[in-house]
Amino acid sequence: MANVGGMDRVLRFIVGIVLIVVPFVAPSVAALSGLGVWAWVVGAVGLVMLLTAVFRFCPAYVPFGIKTCDR
């Protein structure tokens, strides 16, 4: 049962990749600013966004009845 489609899926994929890469690109900046743990939280959020794009299903959409796909 897909509820993510089209542009929503593309944006989730792109933002997810960017958020996953953040902890690896700037680990020293995050550590110096005291955001080391938050950098990994951002990476985890990116992973969730990537997975929702790949599987075309967002559990957060279900309670609100949101569907961005044409099906």
Side-chain angles (χ1 to χ4, degrees), residues 2-56:
N3 64 2
V4 175
M7 187 58 78
D8 186 11
R9 186 176 185 199
V10 171
L11 289 175
R12 284 173 181 267
F13 190 82
I14 293 169
V15 172
I17 292 293
V18 169
L19 292 177
I20 288 171
V21 171
V22 165
F24 299 104
V25 171
S28 60
V29 173
L32 290 175
S33 64
L35 297 175
V37 172
W38 286 108
W40 290 102
V41 170
V42 167
V45 170
L47 180 62
V48 170
M49 292 188 77
L50 185 65
L51 290 173
T52 58
V54 169
F55 291 109
R56 301 185 69 159

